[in-house]
Amino acid sequence: MSAVGAEGNINPEADHSFVIHKYVQPEIAPKDPNPAGDGHEVPEFSGTPIEGVTYRITQVTQYSKQKLDPLDPASWDFVSPYLQGLKDFDPKKTQIEFGSSFEKVTDAKGIAEFRDFPIGFYYVEEIDPGSNEILNLMKPFLVAIPMPDSKSAGNWLYNVHAYPKSAVGAASKTVDESGAFGLGDILKWTIATKVPFISAIDDFVRFEIIDTLPAEELRYVGHELQVLDEFGALATNITSPEHFAVEISEEGQVALKFTAAGRQALEGYQGGSIKLNISTRVQGTGKGDIVNTAVVRTNDAEIPVQAVSYWGAAEIVKYQTGTKILLDGAVFEVYKTKEAAEKRDTSNVVTINGESKFATVKDGSVSLRGLKVGQYYVVETRAPAGYIASTSIHELNVTRGGLTQLSVENSQQPFGALPQLGSLGLVLTILVGIVAVGGAVTVAVRERRGKQRVKS
């Protein structure tokens, strides 16, 4: 490049900058004070700034065999339709050469300011939303620094300002564990997100919710989709397969995908929400954490969401009272509440894979693999043969990923009233024997005296 001294020509030595002002797209768009995006700063612009978004500008030195130099008239003739948006500037579709790249992150005011770069034509990209749940990344565009000043003919704008706006989502994932206590029970997962603000998205080409179930822990049972308006009323005009489809893979992925007609129908529910409820059966607990991750996709933007259900295990060990002798044959029930245990309310008994009675059958213990973290109450319903069943209600506190051990003792049944030959029994036996012998002697004396009388 060479400096051009005439007043109306581009001055490559002039101080210049490119400033990006990143804002949240309001759901009710205000009157835009700068509708044309002419590069001028708009001091009165109001909105919610977005901090932490990374932008990259890359100098374009050649596009489709055309060298690009801001001091070359042929370059301006060639690039002008791209700058005006009359042609689609797509680096993937043609031969292109790049120069230097520069990156900046928006500050608390949503500003990313670029300085100390050569004048030229730059490809501008929004490359990282940071921690923001941005639904639609800014579409890349081409900018000239400097650019013709639309408010002053024959002059150039060296400090160029851009005001990209994005819809910001609020996606979440929760788990309903109220009906789950043991393996085989149902966990219900809900992925919720806002209906995208359609007018904030240039090309609304994709809207999906993808939930990848952990195959070893969860098995898909069913789903329900709810589209709610801003007042919470349920939509009745969004139906499958016209507006959406839900695909279930063999690996356990649940994919909700809105069709073109469905994305168009969502325009009537801006400000509302979408909820995908998925029911799963617990078939394993891994190391104690059942982690379920999903992603909400709007065009190329993704918002990951996650929920966790915590599980553990327990072991009941049966001993003879006062010893460490193990006993098999005891049967237990596990209750969800203490009140249920006291009343023996079997409608509130815990089941593990359909079983509600747990017996010690090996080495005096029974393993309860797969219990949700929480407090339970154990009741012995049958003692081993020859033992008295425990009448206590035993508390069982299941911890995350741990093995809780509960020891329950049994006393033997009382021994029977067998004949006793010791102490008082022995004395009585001796006395009875003496009396019997005395009686026999008396009878013998009487008989001898009677015989003597007969002889005389």
Side-chain angles (χ1 to χ4, degrees), residues 140-169:
F141 62 91
L142 188 68
V143 66
I145 308 292
M147 64 183 296
D149 190 343
S150 63
K151 295 182 179 181
S152 179
N155 289 319
W156 296 91
L157 191 63
Y158 288 90
N159 297 299
V160 178
H161 295 259
Y163 292 80
K165 297 177 283 292
S166 288
V168 176

Side-chain angles (χ1 to χ4, degrees), residues 29 63 75 124 131 146 156 165-166 176 209 281 290 301-302 325-326 344 358 363 374 381 386 399 405 418 435:
Y63 187 76
S75 294
V124 184
S131 60
W156 296 91
K165 297 177 283 292
S166 288
D176 179 2
I209 298 176
R281 191 174 302 281
I290 300 179
E302 294 189 353
I325 298 175
L326 298 170
R344 304 298 193 268
F358 310 101
D363 297 331
T381 61
T399 59
Q405 191 174 78
L418 298 176
V435 171

Side-chain angles (χ1 to χ4, degrees), residues 313-435:
E315 183 181 53
I316 303 174
V317 183
K318 170 62 66 173
Y319 291 104
Q320 184 187 72
T321 302
T323 74
K324 290 297 181 180
I325 298 175
L326 298 170
L327 300 172
D328 288 337
V331 179
F332 298 92
E333 289 179 335
V334 181
Y335 288 85
K336 302 170 185 177
T337 66
K338 187 174 183 179
E339 182 181 7
E342 291 171 343
K343 295 179 179 180
R344 304 298 193 268
D345 178 8
T346 54
S347 65
N348 279 299
V349 75
V350 174
T351 62
I352 297 179
N353 288 329
E355 295 293 331
S356 61
K357 295 184 181 296
F358 310 101
T360 58
V361 294
K362 184 179 181 181
D363 297 331
S365 66
V366 57
S367 179
L368 308 178
R369 298 286 175 180
L371 286 172
K372 186 182 67 178
V373 166
Q375 191 80 22
Y376 298 92
Y377 301 87
V378 177
V379 171
E380 184 175 3
T381 61
R382 190 184 73 189
Y387 288 84
I388 301 173
S390 169
T391 58
S392 300
I393 295 175
H394 307 274
E395 292 187 0
L396 181 65
N397 185 29
V398 177
T399 59
R400 174 184 176 185
L403 176 64
T404 302
Q405 191 174 78
L406 173 67
S407 297
V408 180
E409 295 185 345
N410 280 131
S411 297
Q412 281 183 305
Q413 294 284 354
F415 53 83
L418 298 176
Q420 301 181 27
L421 298 178
S423 63
L424 180 59
L426 180 59
V427 173
L428 291 175
T429 301
I430 293 172
L431 290 176
V432 170
I434 292 172
V435 171

Side-chain angles (χ1 to χ4, degrees), residues 146-225:
M147 64 183 296
D149 190 343
S150 63
K151 295 182 179 181
S152 179
N155 289 319
W156 296 91
L157 191 63
Y158 288 90
N159 297 299
V160 178
H161 295 259
Y163 292 80
K165 297 177 283 292
S166 288
V168 176
S172 65
K173 185 170 191 176
T174 57
V175 57
D176 179 2
E177 303 175 299
S178 60
F181 297 90
L183 286 181
D185 286 347
I186 300 296
L187 286 175
K188 297 179 180 179
W189 310 83
T190 297
I191 302 115
T193 185
K194 295 175 64 177
V195 175
F197 184 52
I198 309 302
S199 62
I201 304 173
D202 294 334
D203 300 309
F204 191 32
V205 296
R206 182 169 69 168
F207 187 60
E208 302 172 350
I209 298 176
I210 310 296
D211 190 350
T212 303
L213 304 177
E216 293 185 0
E217 288 86 27
L218 300 176
R219 180 164 58 84
Y220 169 81
V221 174
H223 70 271
E224 176 191 31
L225 176 66

Side-chain angles (χ1 to χ4, degrees), residues 73-122:
S75 294
W76 282 96
D77 292 340
F78 176 83
V79 84
S80 180
Y82 297 102
L83 292 172
Q84 298 178 63
L86 301 177
K87 287 186 177 181
D88 185 23
F89 186 86
D90 189 347
K92 298 177 182 179
K93 291 183 178 180
T94 188
Q95 180 182 354
I96 190 168
E97 291 183 7
F98 290 111
S100 300
S101 289
F102 307 87
E103 293 184 9
K104 292 288 183 180
V105 180
T106 57
D107 60 19
K109 295 181 179 180
I111 294 175
E113 184 173 358
F114 294 86
R115 290 187 176 275
D116 300 323
F117 61 92
I119 65 170
F121 303 101
Y122 284 85

